[in-house]
Amino acid sequence: MSSRHSILALASLLLVAQAYAQTQPRDHNLTLTFTSFHQNVGTNISFSMRDRPIPSTGTCFNLTDVFGNSSHSQPYVTQNAEQFSPQNNYTTFFYKQLNETGLAVGKDAARVVKMWPYENCRSTDFSPWYGLSCQSEGSAYNMPAGIKSFSVVDRWYSNNEDEGHCWTLAEDGHSSAACTSFQGCFVAMMAAALAGVFLTM
Ligand SMILES: *[C@@H]1O[C@H](CO)[C@@H](O)[C@H](O)[C@H]1NC(C)=O
Ligand SMILES: *[C@@H]1O[C@H](CO)[C@@H](O)[C@H](O)[C@H]1NC(C)=O
Ligand SMILES: *[C@@H]1O[C@H](CO)[C@@H](O)[C@H](O)[C@H]1NC(C)=O
Ligand SMILES: *[C@@H]1O[C@H](CO)[C@@H](O)[C@H](O)[C@H]1NC(C)=O
Ligand SMILES: *[C@@H]1O[C@H](CO)[C@@H](O)[C@H](O)[C@H]1NC(C)=O
Ligand SMILES: *[C@@H]1O[C@H](CO)[C@@H](O)[C@H](O)[C@H]1NC(C)=O
């Protein structure tokens, strides 16, 4: 009888665990590291989030708030926040995001990330935003205009903006030429190379 009880207990525990997993989707940490340079010396500040952001509490993050204010309601942690200064120009960032289920580098990640040149997730015609939504083991990118805010949206709520091809570094959300197949990429690459040749002739 006790073993039957423990099986029941185990079964209900599994159900609870499953329900929890469904309400609290988890993935490997999303890590964003922002680097500012002063006399060629880089300073890194870092943001890590294991859960997906809770949409009701906002999906836009100002660097000033994330690194300058330790009290917040989103499930993330920071590193080196004491090194943050609103005067610094964060022009390089490092992006790492991997799925827990469906782990595949270069394929759809669980969250859609955007990097913005102004606070409150704003951009202009001259200073675009950049979208990243592919799984990556970690890559560094430059954003010369500097980063003032970023947004993180659960893929579930992202309106399929990147449908068909997740973003590697999509300026204003435009993916670079139709590189959905190797052939397409190769043709685009050759065309670009030839154009380069003609331009220099
Ligand atoms: C992953 O993020 C969580 C917070 O969401 C944090 O507690 C944990 O330390 C992070 N792990 C790593 C390896 O960054
Ligand atoms: C820090 O964040 C908390 C919670 O979001 C907010 O109430 C408070 O006003 C913030 N403080 C500053 C200095 O921005
Ligand atoms: C800052 O991060 C980059 C990669 O994200 C790394 O190459 C570099 O060594 C880091 N610098 C410091 C000072 O930690
Ligand atoms: C990664 O996880 C997200 C959220 O569960 C899912 O939508 C996406 O399809 C997964 N990626 C792959 C390649 O399975
Ligand atoms: C970001 O900063 C701007 C300017 O200080 C402020 O108006 C806005 O409420 C902040 N956004 C978030 C999501 O905290
Ligand atoms: C950051 O630096 C770049 C180039 O060094 C410059 O164009 C940009 O205006 C700077 N941004 C800020 C906010 O200082």
Side-chain angles (χ1 to χ4, degrees):
M1 176 202 130
S2 75
S3 77
R4 195 185 276 177
H5 263 147
S6 53
I7 285 172
L8 262 177
L10 188 67
S12 51
L13 202 71
L14 282 176
L15 275 177
V16 169
Q18 200 180 16
Y20 182 76
Q22 272 164 6
T23 52
Q24 287 281 310
R26 278 166 175 258
D27 288 279
H28 292 295
N29 278 8
L30 164 71
T31 302
L32 302 172
T33 300
F34 303 89
T35 310
S36 68
F37 293 91
H38 183 64
Q39 292 172 345
N40 288 330
V41 180
T43 307
N44 287 345
I45 52 173
S46 206
F47 165 96
S48 288
M49 180 181 247
R50 183 168 165 82
D51 299 281
R52 305 208 198 127
I54 307 153
S56 58
T57 56
T59 54
C60 177
F61 300 87
N62 290 324
L63 260 52
T64 312
D65 299 325
V66 169
F67 298 104
N69 184 357
S70 54
S71 66
H72 57 81
S73 52
Q74 290 276 9
Y76 63 78
V77 296
T78 58
Q79 262 175 19
N80 262 354
E82 70 283 358
Q83 306 264 347
F84 171 80
S85 162
Q87 270 79 51
N88 288 355
N89 198 350
Y90 294 90
T91 51
T92 299
F93 67 94
F94 168 90
Y95 162 89
K96 178 178 177 176
Q97 180 171 202
L98 293 169
N99 267 26
E100 210 151 271
T101 39
L103 191 137
V105 170
K107 296 281 173 13
D108 285 359
R111 319 167 189 85
V112 174
V113 176
K114 295 179 185 174
M115 296 291 175
W116 301 87
Y118 297 107
E119 281 198 314
N120 228 5
C121 296
R122 286 183 305 112
S123 62
T124 64
D125 288 349
F126 305 106
S127 299
W129 56 270
Y130 289 88
L132 300 100
S133 63
C134 295
Q135 294 183 49
S136 166
E137 287 177 306
S139 304
Y141 300 96
N142 289 316
M143 195 160 146
I147 301 155
K148 285 277 197 279
S149 61
F150 61 92
S151 57
V152 182
V153 179
D154 188 327
R155 171 167 293 284
W156 183 254
Y157 298 101
S158 75
N159 297 322
N160 297 321
E161 277 182 283
D162 63 344
E163 198 170 22
H165 39 73
C166 60
W167 291 332
T168 303
L169 185 70
E171 187 177 311
D172 282 334
H174 305 301
S175 299
S176 53
C179 276
T180 45
S181 67
F182 172 72
Q183 209 178 0
C185 281
F186 187 71
V187 169
M189 198 180 74
M190 286 308 286
L194 279 175
V197 168
F198 288 126
L199 276 175
T200 53
M201 267 166 47

